């Protein structure tokens, strides 16, 4: 039902009268619905109450659909690439969902050169920003695109053993620099998350430990 077209019906049935004066449309509608509810006595009257409740629900659902960004009545899975339909969404699928939700930042910065823009911690962002281009490129494809060391090595004409060595060296450097940042925060009584405290005191959390915390 189009917006407020129920008001003439309420007036015809005397649920809104001249004595009510000039009211906002939503106030008049709320008053009419309340009078319909209060005057219900028979089965037919209560069926009429249900009828108007259903109409209000339809209007609410229509407004909600109109405000959903990028959505349609067709499920997102229809026509999606088969690679995006695994239990674990691919990075491309994550970006696609963000776009549909109207969040464009990750999509805009989706490149090795701007990998530092994809983290929220300012100090960690600065550490990543200062990395050499070839290290940014490697981190982007190994950790965001989830390529294996072998796949990435083949793409740039190197051996996987070489890539694994470079990866470990880069991670050690990042962890050392970030550890110094966290130590400074602790010394100056600045807030730390539980993960940051664990990293500072114990190093990188093991996969088994992460699974226990998720339970």
């Amino acid at each position: 039902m189009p917006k407020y077209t129920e008001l003439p019906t309420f007036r015809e049935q005397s649920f809104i009268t001249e004595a009510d004066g000039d009211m906002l449309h939503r106030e008049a509608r709320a008053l009419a619905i309340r009078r319909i509810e209060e005057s219900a006595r028979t089965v037919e009257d209560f069926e009429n109450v249900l009828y108007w409740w259903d109409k209000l629900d339809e209007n609410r659902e229509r407004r909600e659909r109109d405000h959903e960004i990028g959505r349609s009545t067709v499920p997102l899975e229809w026509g999606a690439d088969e690679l995006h339909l695994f239990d674990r969404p691919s990075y491309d699928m994550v970006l696609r969902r963000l776009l549909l939700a109207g969040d464009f930042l990750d999509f805009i910065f989706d490149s090795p050169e701007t990998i530092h823009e994809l983290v929220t911690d300012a100090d960690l962002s600065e550490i990543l920003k200062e990395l050499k281009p070839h290290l940014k490129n490697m981190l982007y494809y190994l950790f965001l695109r989830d390529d294996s060391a072998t796949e990435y090595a083949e793409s740039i004409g190197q051996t996987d053993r070489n890539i694994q060595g470079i990866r470990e060296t880069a991670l050690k450097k990042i962890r050392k620099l970030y550890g110094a940042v966290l130590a400074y925060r602790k010394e100056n009584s600045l807030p730390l998350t539980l993960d940051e405290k664990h990293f500072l005191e114990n190093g990188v959390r093991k996969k088994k430990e992460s699974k226990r915390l998720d339970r």
Side-chain angles (χ1 to χ4, degrees), residues 61-124:
E61 291 173 358
R62 174 183 52 78
R63 288 194 301 272
E64 290 174 354
R65 286 195 299 270
D66 290 344
H67 284 83
E68 288 179 350
I69 302 175
R71 298 289 193 254
S72 70
T73 56
V74 179
L76 294 179
E77 291 78 8
W78 287 12
D81 192 294
E82 291 182 0
L83 294 175
H84 299 324
L85 299 181
F86 291 118
D87 292 336
R88 179 185 177 187
S90 69
Y91 182 60
D92 286 328
M93 190 59 179
V94 172
L95 288 178
R96 184 173 176 181
R97 288 175 178 174
L98 288 172
L99 283 175
L100 290 171
D103 187 348
F104 304 103
L105 286 179
D106 282 3
F107 183 80
I108 292 172
F109 295 118
D110 177 36
S111 72
E113 294 79 12
T114 53
I115 191 174
H116 60 281
E117 298 286 357
L118 300 175
V119 298
T120 56
D121 188 288
D123 292 306
L124 181 56

Side-chain angles (χ1 to χ4, degrees), residues 43-59:
V43 172
E44 184 177 356
D45 291 339
F46 282 105
E47 287 178 347
N48 190 41
V49 172
L50 293 176
Y51 168 81
W52 286 113
W53 282 353
D54 289 341
K55 285 296 181 183
L56 291 179
D57 281 341
E58 288 176 6
N59 288 342

Side-chain angles (χ1 to χ4, degrees), residues 14-26:
S14 298
F15 289 114
I16 299 176
T17 65
E18 294 295 332
D20 294 321
D22 295 329
M23 303 175 67
L24 293 175
H25 285 145
R26 61 175 179 272

Side-chain angles (χ1 to χ4, degrees), residues 67 143 150 155 171 183 187 210:
H67 284 83
F143 294 102
T150 301
S155 71
L171 290 178
E187 291 170 2
S210 298

